[in-house]
Amino acid sequence: EIVMTQSPATLSVSPGERATLSCRASQSVSTNLAWHQQKPGQAPRLLIYGASTRATGVPARFSGSGSGTEFTLTISSLQSEDFAVYYCQQYNDWYTFGQGTKLEI
Amino acid sequence: EVQLVQSGAEVKKPGESLKISCKCSGYTFIDYWIGWVRQVPGKGLEWMGIIFPGDSTARYSPSFQGQVTISVDKSINTAYLQWSSLKASDTAIYYCARRGSAEYWGQGTLVTVSS
């Protein structure tokens, strides 16, 4: 099983600042990597697929990068609605999620 | 508009059976895999299994193989997740999602198993 490891577990950032979230795979997943956002009491929502392609309706302040085993989600200027938990997910060899990064104010 | 609408919350006793549903609309149901994801309250996401509605091919994560059954009814564009004998440890929110990349999610079904 491919293990996805996210860091940090919690990230404290102020509105307007930049946030950088990391995700590492235990073996290469090429660019078969997605990022999902989950707010309290809500279902997850796809933000990024193919490591760097924004899903429909996702603001341009969200960007993804990386390939192989190292990936990054960057939120360029945090808005209040961005504070949530973010999960990376690989879909290269079966499907596994990281443990999540909580983005807090 | 693609929509995945799940059935409502359930409260069951250990040993009981259960089948929850995920009704899909806004696209050709038989063309896209549908997966199921578990989230224990306060915890992360776990991929359970996935099914291709076109031919009902289902695959399961090792942790869930033999514990649940995933099926579809093509006539009503609906996917199902079922248990034959629930345990307290099955208490969780269950989400359906379209494709392995989970491009669209259902709203979730809370299943509570308690004596």
Side-chain angles (χ1 to χ4, degrees):
Chain A
E1 175 183 306
I2 297 177
V3 177
M4 308 300 292
T5 303
Q6 293 185 240
S7 61
T10 304
L11 182 61
S12 298
V13 186
S14 297
E17 292 186 339
R18 180 187 192 93
T20 301
L21 288 67
S22 297
C23 175
R24 173 176 293 176
S26 60
Q27 63 191 75
S28 177
V29 299
S30 185
T31 55
N32 295 311
L33 189 286
W35 289 93
H36 302 276
Q37 176 194 64
Q38 187 177 34
K39 298 179 181 179
Q42 296 186 18
R45 166 199 178 196
L46 176 68
L47 294 177
I48 301 284
Y49 63 94
S52 61
T53 303
R54 280 189 300 277
T56 303
V58 175
R61 63 181 181 272
F62 291 90
S63 62
S65 63
S67 65
T69 62
E70 300 284 342
F71 301 89
T72 300
L73 174 69
T74 302
I75 311 170
S76 59
S77 178
L78 279 161
Q79 308 295 303
S80 57
E81 61 266 30
D82 300 335
F83 292 95
V85 178
Y86 292 83
Y87 295 94
C88 63
Q89 179 213 359
Q90 68 83 18
Y91 50 95
N92 188 69
D93 181 0
W94 194 237
Y95 313 103
T96 47
F97 292 96
Q99 81 280 17
T101 290
K102 182 179 181 181
L103 187 56
E104 63 176 26
I105 301 174
Chain B
E1 178 193 8
V2 174
Q3 287 192 311
L4 282 66
V5 179
Q6 298 185 228
S7 49
E10 303 273 2
V11 179
K12 292 289 189 180
K13 290 181 167 41
E16 292 186 332
S17 63
L18 176 64
K19 192 174 189 177
I20 62 174
S21 66
C22 171
K23 183 166 179 61
C24 304
S25 61
Y27 71 98
T28 303
F29 179 65
I30 60 171
D31 286 349
Y32 294 84
W33 292 80
I34 292 288
W36 287 93
V37 175
R38 183 175 79 174
Q39 186 171 41
V40 174
K43 303 297 184 183
L45 303 169
E46 301 172 87
W47 194 277
M48 302 175 69
I50 196 166
I51 189 165
F52 186 65
D55 61 6
S56 295
T57 297
R59 299 172 183 160
Y60 299 88
S61 292
S63 302
F64 295 96
Q65 179 79 47
Q67 307 304 307
V68 296
T69 301
I70 296 171
S71 61
V72 295
D73 184 336
K74 290 187 285 189
S75 68
I76 54 172
N77 292 355
T78 300
Y80 300 97
L81 176 66
Q82 69 180 84
W83 295 259
S84 59
S85 180
L86 287 159
K87 310 180 189 66
S89 57
D90 292 319
T91 294
I93 300 171
Y94 294 88
Y95 295 101
C96 59
R98 193 177 86 165
R99 295 185 68 177
S101 54
E103 55 190 14
Y104 294 95
W105 292 78
Q107 84 277 18
T109 296
L110 174 62
V111 174
T112 303
V113 184
S114 174
S115 54

